[in-house]
Amino acid sequence: MFNFRVAMPDFFRGKPWDQNRIKPDDRPTVREWLGTVANWDNVKVDLEKVKGRLTSDGFINFGIVGLCWGAKMAVLANRDGSFAAASLIHPSAFVDEDAELAQAPILFISTKDFTEFMNILSKKPFGDKCQHHRFEDMFHGFAGARGDYTNAQNVKCATEAIQFTGDFFNSHIH
């Protein structure tokens, strides 16, 4: 059983990605869209507001979950140590060296191999607390908006990713 307060700000400021208008493989357009509606400077302000609100409600420890682009944002948010743990689910838009930024345990849920990223994390003081779960039979986005929730295998894997995240946070957020 998990006992967390979940906050989910609208990082896209009411301008979500329109899959019918722009195809996901149009990377330059995706990057341009993210750079305008959800760049780090905006996300940082939103996260500070959320943490301020949760702190005023009595919460003192925080975790952060990032899917796809959000995984990069979670790593950036974690570089000052203000999060007790981070879950990165089917991450994109970052490089192995981003592991150097991490200041708390990371749960890495991917569809690809991120051996070097995990090797870098393993050398950190909290490295033994980091975990990597790889879903080789899944596609990028399986646990998010691109998931096919009519497919039993997709549902099973997405549910496992959620369970891994909850278990990880139960272990690291007190």
Side-chain angles (χ1 to χ4, degrees), residues 73-150:
M73 298 297 108
V75 169
L76 292 174
N78 195 8
R79 65 184 166 191
D80 67 359
S82 62
F83 289 90
S87 175
L88 313 181
I89 303 174
H90 39 73
S92 69
F94 67 82
V95 295
D96 290 334
E97 291 76 26
D98 285 337
E100 295 289 348
L101 301 173
Q103 297 299 315
I106 288 182
L107 168 64
F108 208 84
I109 298 173
S110 68
T111 58
K112 299 179 191 173
D113 183 29
F114 283 92
T115 303
E116 185 55 28
F117 189 92
M118 295 308 294
N119 284 340
I120 294 168
L121 286 177
S122 72
K123 294 177 176 88
K124 296 208 163 255
F126 53 83
D128 61 334
K129 296 177 182 171
C130 296
Q131 298 177 20
H132 183 203
H133 296 279
R134 188 171 166 197
F135 290 84
E136 293 180 21
D137 58 342
M138 284 287 100
F139 53 92
H140 178 79
F142 76 94
R146 293 183 66 214
D148 178 1
Y149 295 97
T150 64

Side-chain angles (χ1 to χ4, degrees), residues 8-20:
M8 191 169 168
D10 180 8
F11 292 119
F12 302 135
R13 291 159 181 72
K15 298 175 184 170
W17 181 259
D18 182 351
Q19 290 187 21
N20 296 318

